[in-house]
Each structure stands twice: as structure tokens, then as C-alpha cells.
Amino acid sequence: MSSPYQSLQHAEAIARHDLLTVDAYDVRLDLASDDKTFGSVTTIRFRSTGGSTFLDLKPERVNEIRFNGRPLDPDLLVRGRLPIETVDGDNELIVDAVMPFRNDGEGLHRSVDPADGKHYVYGMSFMDAAPTVFACFDQPDLKAPYTFHVVAPEDWTVIGNAPGKNPEPGVWEFEQTQPLSTYFVTLVAGPYHLIRDEHDGIPLGLSARASIAKDLDADADELFTMTRQCFDEFHRLFGIRYPFGDYHQAFVPEFNAGAMENPGCVTFRDPLVFSSRVTRGMRIQRATTVAHEMAHQWFGNIVTPRWWDDLWLNESFAEYMGNRVTADVTEYDDAWTHNAYARRQWGLVADQRPSTHPVAGNGAVDASAALQDFDGISYAKGSSILKQLNATLGDDVFFAGAIDHFTKHRFGNATMHDLFASWEEAGAGDLSAFTSNWLRTAGPDTIVLDRAAGVVRRTPPADHPADRSHTLRVATAAPEGTWEVASLTVSGPETSYDVAEGSAVVLDPYEDTWALVQPDPVTVAALPGLLPRTEDTLLRAGVWNNVRSAFHNAAIDPAAVIDLVEAGLPVEDSDDAVFYTMPWVVAKVVPLTADPDAALARVHRAALAKAEAASPGSTLQLAAFQAAVSSATDAALLRGWLGGRDLPAGIDIDLDLRWRILVQLASLGETDRAELLAALDAEPTARSRVEHTRAVASLPDADAKAWAWARFTGDVDVPNYELEAAGLGMWRRNQRPLLEEYVDRYFADVPGTAARRSGWVLADAADAFFPVVFEDDATLAKAEALLALDDFDPSMRRRVVDQVDELTRRVAIARAFPKA
């Protein structure tokens, strides 16, 4: 079954852009009359060369449409498109419609906070959601200024892309914005808790739900400090001031992405306002997200891609600059180490999937397909390649080209060709070979050490040949020695490389290039002795990325990974290493060992020992204890922790840890619905509601699985976070007999979910509910049959393709290292 709406095709966007110039939008929203729908009256003034086109509109109902003073029949609206016949010159279109509040994180999302029953609204217009908020020509290269007028409940505050005033209770009038693409338009409305500040003439703001006001207050100084530091650095690097008036950062509920760079009003997922203790790595993640969205104000907002196939221009640039600026000017100077643990594998794994695509020019035929390319390739790989380019060009040329790009296309749209032309004019030389090999060719080269032949081999992906030169660092160490680091350039299929017998070799531990690197058997054998003596945190991260890549490609025994955990964890001092590595070990590695129960017990003992040995109250201790909870199988131990007994000194059970323990108890069948409901009632927060869903879905009983499945099929409508939590909680490896019937039901039911939901959450649900614990040929055959359906939704198809690849690889690991 397909979506009820038609996604904009690239060819259609080109034709409409050639026909129209949009002069201004005037939008009047009534948010006060109903909690299911809202009034939306849009006036669009535009010029045309004359001819046929269409308006994008996805309403609950239409009250009236007037085009150039004459009424239009609302029944002409089909699949979200209203055909119009424009006249040469000035045109005016007025649409009076009733629009839906949504609960999937798109359009105008309305959420009820379970902590106090208060209602909150925010806008997410990204990709093709804007037409559920206001009538528009929804494509990135038809920019225009917007003026908003909003009626809202009198106790609400309303914030938008431009500064606003509240002339009378419940009425909000906003200044006209700079020219914006439709997907940047937002509105944040509700009884939000607000904090205001100012820096360098820029009004700053923070907001979050009233129930987490104290948490926002606690974080405000850090958030404002980072914002000031980042503004100063971006102004220094670009020499162009932030041009969008106020800079408000709104933390909103049930947000799908990490954040959205809406000019003047950036929206963030509100779990980034920390209500429980978090690791340092989580604070770095928030810091880099803040810097990432600020980078977008220049790259993305001042200059916007003409079409979604240049999406990487937004995300890769912001990813690189977000990490760089965070590391350079904030307290989180270890941001690149965090990036190594948190983002590298995301990008590398995506680049090895059958669904891989070039960083640039990825051929996005429509907006729906483009959404699926918001992945580790567009972010992590693109960022890595820009980091390489910066290292090659130097800051002077790199930023001179960027500044030229911003200046030439200010408040307009541009392409990759435009950006690279600016770099070439700034002195970069001919970049055509670079763009062809690195940006327009998919897949990573594989770089491995052939110890016997005395060479390092470079092999491009078979389906995506390229001729890439790699300059990288190599770390070597004798079994009882220390690491030595040297540079190596790999410019052909074979590069001579001599290494002493028995020495370990780690290729590209500092992520100087983008390639698939993995340790050879001699290095694998040496690592348990070397890792505990490795003081360089980035080098340790490089070791783990080598190991993870090897595991992904069935090139390392799962048992060797468990050995490395036991050897390295006692001396690890980065909570990122623990936070990102241990969940991967528990979920991916342990089940493929010869004795999963014994392997899990070893991992648990190592994690608990680390929690007990770490400095009391440290974030390193917290990360280790989180891993100990997630690997625990002793219900009595978990019960004791839940009751505050036998805890490592320095650990206090807060909301996050309480629900971690309850979810683990649920997966073991050592709690019930009544206890979980009582825990929710005791702390009825948004986080509790999501974790309650995860815990109920984790219970090993038929009613719990049916409860979760009703959310997947849409028979029970729940917000996006709860939907995903139900899927992730449902599939438990120790519950396979109970889950067998849902394997067939998944493949039968997933196509029909396209009639129940759309956008981000459609694909996310298909991913979360995939039967990941059934790693066998029968499941693969059922998945292949699903993919053979011609009318299977493209966004879900992409997720299933990736899941099939993951299952195929796990079957390969099991065959390469069979259980005794």
C-alpha cells in the first residue's frame, strides 16, 4: 500500500522553479480552537511566466480557496496537490483550511506531557511536512519571506523564525523573516519554560516543557556558554554575521531527529535536557549537536541546496564544523574521540550496505527517497571527506572558498558545483578528480596488511571502482613494546610495508582517511596485551573501530572480542568507550559466541568490576554501571539495585537507572504489568512513558507481544517515541519461541503500515519491529520475498534491505566461527 500523498519529483521541482518566483507568504494560524486540528489561512503572492503548476496542501478539510480573486473548487485537490493555471505576472492564492495536529514528529506536532497534562506544539516542516501546516510550493529552491500571525491559548508562549510580539493575550504577531525554504519554517507554542540571554547583539533563548524547567535551569549556563563560544568562532572563521535575528534553542518533546536548524528557532529533542545523570559523552553529543545546528545557519540556511541530492552540502559541512568547533573552543576538547566512538561505525556500516550511495549527487528522485539518505554516509562519511579536504587545502583556501560561496548565493540556493567552483577560485586547483573519486563514488576502499607479502593492499569496492589515494597514520607495537606512529601514503593497489615479526599493526587509528581497515590475525592476538598499555584515547578508539569493522565482515572470532573487553575495560578511562562499545558487545557479539550465556556473564563481571573500581560518582563509573545493568541476568541482584542495596559507592538510582533496571527485569520475566504501571504512576514523566512502553513490550508473555504489535499495525495509535520503544523492546533473544509467530506477521503486516503513517516514523517503525533475533535462512527468504513486491514503500524497502544485509552478515559470522 502506498502513501495517500504524492512525493515531489525532481523533474517537477525543476519545472515549477522555472515557472514561479515566490514573493511572500502570510500565514495565520489558530491554535486555540481545538486540540485535534487548527485553522490555517495562507496568502501566497508570487510571480509566474504563465502556465500550469500545482500547490502543495494536505489538510483535514478546506474551507475556501481563492486564486487571483476567484474561488477554486476544493475538490480539485488530489493526493495533496491542487492544480492551478497561473497568469503571466503577479498572482495571489489564498487558502483557508483546517489542518491536523500530528503525533509523529512532523508537521505541527502536538504532545501532552504526562507529568502535568499540559499541551505543547512545535513545527517540523522538513522534507514534505510543511503542507500539513500551511499551503505552499514545497521545494527547497522556492525561497520566500514569511510573516506569521498566531492565535493561541492565553497561557502559551509562541516562538517562530522571526522575533515576535504578544500585543494582547493569546495573540502573537511576528516580523517578516529572511527568505526561507519551506522546510525551515517552524513554530514552537505552549506553556514552555523560557530563559533569555544576549551575546554580541544577538538575543538568545532556551525553552523546554514546564515539567523539566529545573533541568533546563541547571543546564542553561553550559548551553549559553557553548552558544556564545560557537558564535564567536563561526564569526571568526566565516567573517559573516549570523543574519536571522534572535537565536532561540527550543527543546521539544517527541522530536524525531537530534535537532533541526530552523533559522531563528532551532528545535532539539528534549531528552537533551538531562533529567538524570549522564556520561560526559552524552554532554559532548549535545555540545556537538548545538555546534552542528549553528554551523547550519551559514551552510544550509544562508545558502540552501537547490535539491535534496545536495543534502550532503548541509549535513557533511555541519557535521565537520560541529565537531571541529566543539573541540577547538568549548570545554569538550575530546570531541573527536567521541566522534570516533559515536559516528565512525555508523558511517562505515552504511557505506558497506547494498543501499550505499555517493556522498554527493545521490540521485534522489523525490523527497521521500531523499529522506532515507539522511544516514551515516551524508553525515559521518561526508564529514570525514571534508576533514581530509581541509587538511589538503589548508584553512586559508578552505574558508575563503566557503565565504565566497556564502556571499555569492546569500539567501539563495546553490549546488555542489557552485561550492567547488568557489574553492577552486580560492586556490584549490582542479578538484574534479577529488569529487569524482570521493564524493560521486559510493563505498569505502578496503585497506589491509598482507604481512607475508610485505605490502598494504588497497581494494576499491567491486561495484563502485575508484582510484583513491590515502594518506594515513599507522600505529605499530611489538608485543611487549609501546606504540610507534608513522605516516603512510597508499596510492595504488599495493604499497610496500615492512613490519617486525609479531608486531601489532593498526591502520588509520586517527581517522585520517575514509576506508575499511581491520586488524590481521597477528594484531588480533597481540591486542589483549597491548590495549591495557595504550594511553592515547584516540588510538584506543581506532583499535575498537578496526575490531568492529573486522567483526562486521566475519574477520574476527567473537571470542577474541570478548577477550579484548576483559583486557581493555579495567584500564579504560573514556566513558565513550564504555557507553558505545558495551551495548554493541552485548547485542551483537555475545549471541554469536560459542557459549552466549558464559560470554554474557564475562561481560557483566567486567562491567560491574569497572563500576566498582572507577572513581565514585564519575561518569566513567556511570557508563560501566549502565553496562552492568544491561548485561545482568541475576534478578535478585537487579532487585537489590532497584531497592538501593549493594550498589557501587557513588551510584544513586535515578529515573534513568530505575527504568533501565525495570526493562532488564521485564526482559527476564521478573516483573509484571502491575509493577510497571505503578512505576509509571509514581513518576509520570515523558521519559517514564516511553520506558514503560519498552518494558511492557519486553515481557515474555503473549499479551505483552500482542500489545506491542497493535502499536506497530496502527490499531493503537501512539506517539513516535513510544512506537519505536515498543519495537525495540519486543524482540528479545531469550524469548524466541514466543516470538516465532510474529516473524511471518511482520512480513505480512509491514506493507500495510504505509496507510497508517508516513515520513520518518514509517521507516523507523519498520526498522524497530524487524525480527532481528531470527538470524536464519528462513527469515532471509521471507525478507527477500517482501523486497520482491513492486509496490512496497521505498522508505521501508531501504530499511529492510539494510536489515537483510545485517542478517546475512551475522549468518556469515556464525558460519565462519561455528559453535562447538
Side-chain angles (χ1 to χ4, degrees):
M1 300 181 69
S2 60
S3 166
Y5 298 117
Q6 190 169 346
S7 188
L8 181 69
Q9 303 288 301
H10 191 193
E12 294 173 322
I14 293 171
R16 191 161 62 175
H17 175 268
D18 290 345
L19 183 71
L20 304 181
T21 300
V22 184
D23 295 314
Y25 284 85
D26 185 274
V27 182
R28 297 180 178 273
L29 301 181
D30 182 357
L31 310 182
S33 57
D34 187 3
D35 63 0
K36 301 296 184 184
T37 60
F38 60 96
S40 174
V41 179
T42 306
T43 301
I44 312 174
R45 296 180 179 87
F46 63 96
R47 285 165 286 148
S48 174
T49 57
S52 300
T53 188
F54 56 90
L55 176 81
D56 299 299
L57 178 64
K58 302 173 183 177
E60 285 288 295
R61 65 178 184 273
V62 175
N63 294 327
E64 183 182 28
I65 303 174
R66 299 189 69 82
F67 183 42
N68 293 331
R70 298 176 182 175
L72 282 183
D73 184 358
D75 289 340
L76 294 173
L77 181 67
V78 177
R79 295 193 68 191
R81 295 183 172 188
L82 178 75
I84 57 174
E85 189 68 30
T86 68
V87 300
D88 188 7
D90 293 339
N91 292 258
E92 182 182 77
L93 183 60
I94 303 174
V95 178
D96 182 348
V98 175
M99 302 293 202
F101 284 118
R102 297 171 64 171
N103 71 347
D104 60 357
E106 298 188 58
L108 214 53
H109 179 102
R110 187 163 185 146
S111 173
V112 181
D113 189 342
D116 54 20
K118 293 181 178 180
H119 288 235
Y120 294 91
V121 167
Y122 65 86
M124 179 59 163
S125 298
F126 185 67
M127 282 301 189
D128 53 6
T132 65
V133 181
F134 57 97
C136 57
F137 300 112
D138 190 23
Q139 61 190 71
D141 62 349
L142 285 177
K143 283 186 164 183
Y146 290 77
T147 305
F148 268 75
H149 320 267
V150 180
V151 175
E154 293 185 5
D155 63 335
W156 284 20
T157 297
V158 183
I159 298 164
N161 296 103
K165 295 182 179 179
N166 184 202
E168 60 182 273
V171 175
W172 295 82
E173 299 288 341
F174 291 87
E175 297 175 14
Q176 188 177 71
T177 71
Q178 298 283 11
L180 305 179
S181 297
T182 47
Y183 78 92
F184 289 137
V185 177
T186 194
L187 204 68
V188 175
Y192 284 94
H193 174 63
L194 265 67
I195 309 173
R196 298 194 184 276
D197 204 343
E198 182 273 342
H199 177 66
D200 194 20
I202 304 169
L204 305 178
L206 302 169
S207 59
R209 290 174 289 122
S211 64
I212 55 174
K214 64 177 178 59
D215 302 311
L216 182 64
D217 288 343
D219 284 351
D221 182 63
E222 179 178 326
L223 288 165
F224 278 136
T225 296
M226 290 189 302
T227 302
R228 296 185 198 102
Q229 291 167 330
C230 291
F231 263 133
D232 289 346
E233 182 69 353
F234 284 124
H235 285 154
R236 183 187 73 82
L237 293 171
F238 298 144
I240 297 171
R241 284 188 60 79
Y242 169 75
F244 297 106
D246 294 3
Y247 192 74
H248 190 86
Q249 297 173 98
F251 294 85
V252 298
E254 298 166 349
F255 196 70
N256 285 319
M260 180 65 200
E261 65 267 21
N262 317 299
C265 183
V266 178
T267 42
F268 296 81
R269 55 167 55 221
D270 70 5
L272 289 176
V273 176
F274 303 130
S275 55
S276 294
R277 286 188 65 223
V278 296
T279 63
R280 177 180 174 82
M282 284 299 297
R283 291 191 177 275
I284 297 174
Q285 178 185 323
R286 182 173 69 181
T288 57
T289 303
V290 166
H292 177 114
E293 303 310 317
M294 294 182 75
H296 271 313
Q297 304 309 310
W298 285 264
F299 222 112
N301 296 7
I302 291 179
V303 182
T304 307
R306 186 172 296 167
W307 180 246
W308 303 116
D309 60 353
D310 274 329
L311 156 76
W312 80 278
L313 291 174
N314 273 12
E315 300 307 337
S316 301
F317 197 91
E319 183 85 353
Y320 167 60
M321 293 304 302
N323 284 304
R324 172 177 169 153
V325 169
T326 300
D328 287 352
V329 303
T330 77
E331 65 181 288
Y332 300 114
D333 56 2
D334 50 342
W336 286 115
T337 301
H338 169 82
N339 182 73
Y341 283 112
R343 308 292 263 188
R344 185 72 166 185
Q345 285 298 312
W346 179 42
L348 279 172
V349 168
D351 210 19
Q352 296 170 73
R353 298 289 193 205
S355 60
T356 186
H357 55 84
V359 173
N362 53 46
V365 295
D366 61 27
S368 178
L371 180 61
Q372 299 314 305
D373 289 336
F374 268 71
D375 58 11
I377 297 169
S378 296
Y379 286 76
K381 181 180 180 180
S383 168
S384 177
I385 291 172
L386 286 180
K387 186 181 178 186
Q388 290 173 237
L389 182 64
N390 173 263
T392 301
L393 301 183
D395 271 358
D396 288 347
V397 171
F398 186 84
F399 287 111
I403 292 165
D404 181 68
H405 184 71
F406 301 148
T407 303
K408 284 180 178 175
H409 307 286
R410 185 176 175 86
F411 298 132
N413 298 86
T415 66
M416 181 186 79
H417 174 78
D418 297 321
L419 173 62
F420 277 76
S422 289
W423 271 325
E424 289 177 349
E425 290 172 15
D430 183 3
L431 292 172
S432 58
F434 179 87
T435 58
S436 175
N437 284 313
W438 288 101
L439 297 174
R440 293 194 179 279
T441 304
D445 288 349
T446 299
I447 300 178
V448 297
L449 171 67
D450 185 336
R451 195 176 290 260
V455 298
V456 170
R457 300 191 187 278
R458 184 203 69 187
T459 307
D463 296 335
H464 310 284
D467 184 15
R468 304 176 178 122
S469 177
H470 302 262
T471 298
L472 53 106
R473 281 169 285 180
V474 180
T476 60
E480 302 302 323
T482 58
W483 292 102
E484 296 181 2
V485 179
S487 181
L488 176 70
T489 296
V490 180
S491 56
E494 295 183 359
T495 301
S496 295
Y497 189 80
D498 293 325
V499 60
E501 184 176 353
S503 289
V505 178
V506 179
L507 300 169
D508 195 30
Y510 298 100
E511 301 178 5
D512 298 310
T513 190
W514 184 262
L516 173 62
V517 292
Q518 50 199 42
D520 73 319
V522 173
T523 301
V524 170
L527 284 176
L530 286 169
L531 193 62
R533 295 185 278 112
T534 303
E535 296 182 359
D536 185 335
T537 57
L538 260 179
L539 177 53
R540 288 202 304 271
V543 168
W544 276 112
N545 276 322
N546 269 244
V547 168
R548 291 184 65 164
S549 289
F551 183 81
H552 187 67
N553 287 281
I556 188 171
D557 191 327
V561 180
I562 303 301
D563 290 343
L564 196 58
V565 169
E566 287 187 317
L569 194 58
V571 297
E572 184 57 65
D573 60 5
S574 167
D575 64 42
D576 271 323
V578 181
F579 185 85
Y580 288 101
T581 303
M582 296 299 281
W584 168 75
V585 169
V586 171
K588 301 288 189 180
V589 181
V590 164
L592 296 180
T593 58
D595 186 342
D597 290 342
L600 185 62
R602 289 170 63 192
V603 170
H604 174 71
R605 285 194 297 271
L608 185 55
K610 184 66 176 179
E612 291 171 338
S615 177
S618 66
T619 61
L620 180 62
Q621 181 191 47
L622 176 63
F625 186 72
Q626 290 170 342
V629 170
S630 299
S631 56
T633 57
D634 184 340
L637 179 65
L638 289 165
R639 283 286 173 195
W641 288 345
L642 190 63
R645 301 185 303 276
D646 303 319
L647 291 165
I651 293 292
D652 296 314
I653 301 300
D654 57 15
L655 180 72
D656 176 77
L657 289 176
R658 184 172 300 110
W659 278 108
R660 281 178 184 268
I661 295 169
L662 285 169
V663 168
Q664 189 68 5
L665 284 168
S667 73
L668 298 171
E670 297 292 344
T671 185
D672 56 28
R673 299 273 283 271
E675 182 181 21
L676 296 175
L677 183 59
L680 175 61
D681 289 343
E683 294 178 288
T685 67
R687 176 66 184 274
S688 294
R689 187 168 63 184
V690 172
E691 295 307 317
H692 172 263
T693 297
R694 190 189 318 273
V696 172
S698 299
L699 289 168
D701 67 68
D703 288 345
K705 303 310 177 187
W707 181 91
W709 202 252
R711 282 146 178 78
F712 176 54
T713 60
D715 293 339
V716 175
D717 184 36
V718 294
N720 47 349
Y721 282 19
E722 293 174 51
L723 176 64
E724 185 176 20
L728 296 176
M730 178 173 178
W731 297 98
R732 296 289 179 174
R733 196 170 298 276
N734 61 334
Q735 300 171 11
R736 281 170 54 102
L738 183 64
L739 292 164
E740 283 181 358
E741 68 173 285
Y742 287 99
V743 177
D744 286 336
R745 290 180 66 177
Y746 175 85
F747 295 111
D749 292 350
V750 68
T753 61
R756 298 293 189 110
R757 55 183 73 100
S758 63
W760 296 76
V761 73
L762 174 64
D764 285 350
D767 200 44
F769 279 88
F770 189 89
V772 292
V773 301
F774 287 85
E775 297 152 337
D776 51 52
D777 291 333
T779 303
L780 286 172
K782 292 168 186 174
E784 294 290 357
L786 173 65
L787 294 173
L789 299 176
D790 292 336
D791 60 349
F792 188 40
D793 176 86
S795 66
M796 292 194 290
R797 178 184 298 276
R798 164 71 183 271
R799 300 300 184 92
V800 172
V801 165
D802 289 351
Q803 288 284 9
V804 167
D805 181 64
E806 182 67 18
L807 285 187
T808 301
R809 289 173 180 276
R810 293 185 65 73
V811 169
I813 296 167
R815 288 174 177 162
F817 304 99
K819 298 179 180 181

